[in-house]
Amino acid sequence: MARVLFINAGSEGHINPTIGVVQELVSRGEEVVYFAIEAYRERLEKAGASVRTFDETKFIKAFLSGGRNYALERINGLLHTADIVIPSVLDQIQDEHFDYMIHDSMFGCGRILAQILKLPAINSCTSFAQTQEAFDSMLERFKAEVPAEIVTPIYDQFQSLAGRISDRYAVEIQTPYEVFCNPAPLTIVYTTREFQPDGQAFDQSYTFVGPSIAPRVHESIDLPAIQGKKCIYISLGTVFNQAVEFYKLCMEAFGNTEHSIVMSVGNRTPITDLGEIPPNFIVRNYVPQTDVLQNAALFITHGGMNSTHEGLYYGVPLIVIPQSADQPIIAGRVAGIGAGIRLHMQSLTANQLREAAERVLNDAFFKEAVFMMKETFQKSGGYRQAVDEIFQFTSQYRI
């Protein structure tokens, strides 16, 4: 039995794909010690991990102190978190032995901790992967398009932060790419090469295992009300979901139609703020998404990676209305493979949403594309394939 150190400071989209990986590692005899924020303790412990935490408030404050306008500012924010995360982790694992480490790809201290602890490292990538060439090209555009009086101080801060951390912990931080993408000898990407943009650009250190969708225990919902009717499911995910006007627009678009609608509005939107709910709508703050998707004919989504994967895994075409982060890229990929339509929140009307829904529901083109992705996703292996790859990797170190 090996002891595994798992480090992840991410949100739902970064945590959820790893749940199945933890369950599978534990079922095969590994002991997993998982660092995350307190909010994810229960689900990680149910997966079989021993959970340690760091201070979420201090972590977020440090991350935001880098700035939010440009990617390099966010990278500086990740470096600011080093003073919060690294001492906390080192203190909590003092005198413990670990055989290898898994870290989230967008957790800026992951690669640094692997160097400090001198552990074989595996990178857990829950978004689209990014080559260094593509990343460097993005930074070159940043330098070309943004005035030097803005760019120079941001770069100077990166050099200062990287230098200070390198000196303090005797590690190497040579490029912003190392902080933002945390390259490792093995990177597990929770999608397929077919869905990954420019998937053939990645070498064999990247393994594409497909969506990691593990069985979950959910609260109950009145599914008999939608079973047999193939509902339209609407959700903006768990982060950017405070959108009362959008939810009202959905009720205007689909209220009192022949469609059964399930709409999840998140825990920060009081359902009473929506006014009168049409009789063909089920509106909840939370629904068991994978259960609902298995009874859905259409998924109207923000286009987070988890939600997109789950929709396509269950063969549901998408209308993607991206809100932030990598969602516009994901939306473009969905539209590009013919699995759905991208819409823009700012100019969206009820008529446009209704017409888009009818088009996706009735055009065989979308059904065929989604069927192809469903077949690919369900054959890809997911979390079980991820653990196969982990064991193959660790066997090189005689673990």
Side-chain angles (χ1 to χ4, degrees):
M1 178 180 71
R3 295 193 84 227
V4 187
L5 180 62
F6 210 130
I7 308 280
N8 196 342
S11 60
E12 297 272 341
H14 294 261
I15 295 288
N16 283 343
T18 71
I19 298 295
V21 175
V22 171
Q23 291 173 342
E24 190 71 10
L25 285 169
V26 171
S27 74
R28 299 198 202 181
E30 306 288 76
E31 179 184 351
V32 179
V33 175
Y34 201 124
F35 274 85
I37 60 174
E38 185 64 33
Y40 302 117
R41 176 185 292 278
E42 182 178 359
R43 73 182 70 173
L44 290 167
E45 287 181 341
K46 285 182 178 178
S50 172
V51 177
R52 318 275 175 90
T53 63
F54 44 82
D55 192 309
E56 178 185 9
T57 301
K58 291 181 179 178
F59 177 86
I60 292 174
K61 182 179 179 181
F63 176 57
L64 294 178
S65 70
R68 300 292 293 160
N69 293 325
Y70 305 102
L72 191 58
E73 288 185 316
R74 293 191 287 275
I75 292 168
N76 289 342
L78 290 172
L79 289 175
H80 278 295
T81 68
D83 290 334
I84 306 301
V85 174
I86 294 176
S88 178
V89 171
L90 296 180
D91 180 63
Q92 292 185 64
I93 66 170
Q94 189 174 11
D95 299 325
E96 293 186 57
H97 168 78
F98 293 93
D99 296 287
Y100 60 97
M101 175 178 173
I102 305 173
H103 55 69
D104 184 71
S105 65
M106 299 185 71
F107 175 51
C109 297
R111 189 172 183 275
I112 297 169
L113 277 164
Q115 291 183 69
I116 294 170
L117 297 170
K118 296 181 173 57
L119 289 174
I122 297 164
N123 190 19
S124 172
C125 184
T126 58
S127 59
F128 284 139
Q130 194 166 16
T131 64
Q132 182 156 4
E133 291 74 16
F135 182 87
D136 290 345
S137 177
M138 179 270 293
L139 284 188
E140 288 301 316
R141 291 194 300 273
F142 165 62
K143 289 191 289 186
E145 296 169 2
V146 178
E149 58 267 27
I150 294 176
V151 173
T152 300
I154 300 175
Y155 265 96
D156 288 346
Q157 185 181 51
F158 170 80
Q159 296 294 343
S160 175
L161 289 167
R164 179 172 59 80
I165 294 169
S166 297
D167 292 343
R168 181 175 181 182
Y169 295 107
V171 297
E172 290 187 358
I173 306 173
Q174 297 181 346
T175 67
Y177 176 75
E178 294 172 349
V179 179
F180 195 67
C181 295
N182 284 268
L186 172 65
T187 294
I188 295 170
V189 190
Y190 302 102
T191 192
T192 59
R193 281 191 187 268
E194 291 84 357
F195 193 56
Q196 164 75 43
D198 201 17
Q200 298 310 310
F202 295 87
D203 63 29
Q204 294 307 306
S205 68
Y206 291 81
T207 181
F208 292 82
V209 301
S212 176
I213 301 175
R216 302 175 197 167
V217 178
H218 298 302
E219 299 172 11
S220 62
I221 185 176
D222 184 20
L223 287 176
I226 63 169
Q227 286 173 344
K229 295 184 179 180
K230 283 295 181 182
C231 70
I232 295 175
Y233 173 48
I234 302 168
S235 173
L236 295 182
T238 58
V239 179
F240 304 102
N241 58 17
Q242 292 176 284
V244 170
E245 294 307 313
F246 170 72
Y247 301 134
K248 289 181 177 179
L249 183 144
C250 290
M251 292 192 295
E252 181 184 350
F254 302 114
N256 299 305
T257 65
E258 72 278 11
H259 300 295
S260 295
I261 313 294
V262 176
M263 189 162 70
S264 176
V265 300
N267 292 324
R268 292 174 289 181
T269 299
I271 294 176
T272 53
D273 288 357
L274 302 181
E276 184 177 355
I277 307 297
N280 61 321
F281 270 66
I282 297 172
V283 181
R284 299 284 189 273
N285 294 112
Y286 163 82
V287 302
Q289 180 159 289
T290 54
D291 289 351
V292 174
L293 285 170
Q294 293 175 68
N295 291 276
L298 172 65
F299 185 12
I300 299 174
T301 172
H302 62 305
M305 187 66 98
N306 270 8
S307 292
T308 299
H309 274 155
E310 289 173 354
L312 296 177
Y313 184 90
Y314 289 110
V316 184
L318 311 174
I319 291 177
V320 186
I321 308 173
Q323 307 296 297
S324 185
D326 58 353
Q327 294 159 21
I329 299 172
I330 296 168
R333 190 67 184 134
V334 168
I337 64 173
I341 291 175
R342 173 180 177 171
L343 297 177
H344 299 275
M345 179 73 85
Q346 292 76 7
S347 58
L348 188 62
T349 67
N351 281 338
Q352 289 172 335
L353 181 58
R354 183 169 51 249
E355 288 171 2
E358 294 302 329
R359 180 184 168 198
V360 175
L361 286 167
N362 296 311
D363 191 331
F365 169 80
F366 296 104
K367 292 182 175 66
E368 292 169 3
V370 170
F371 178 79
M372 293 294 293
M373 291 308 301
K374 174 185 175 181
E375 291 283 293
T376 301
F377 279 5
Q378 293 193 357
K379 291 178 180 177
S380 60
Y383 60 89
R384 293 188 181 90
Q385 182 64 32
V387 175
D388 286 346
E389 299 289 347
I390 290 169
F391 280 12
Q392 183 176 339
F393 172 76
T394 58
S395 69
Q396 303 170 31
Y397 296 88
R398 301 187 183 279
I399 296 172

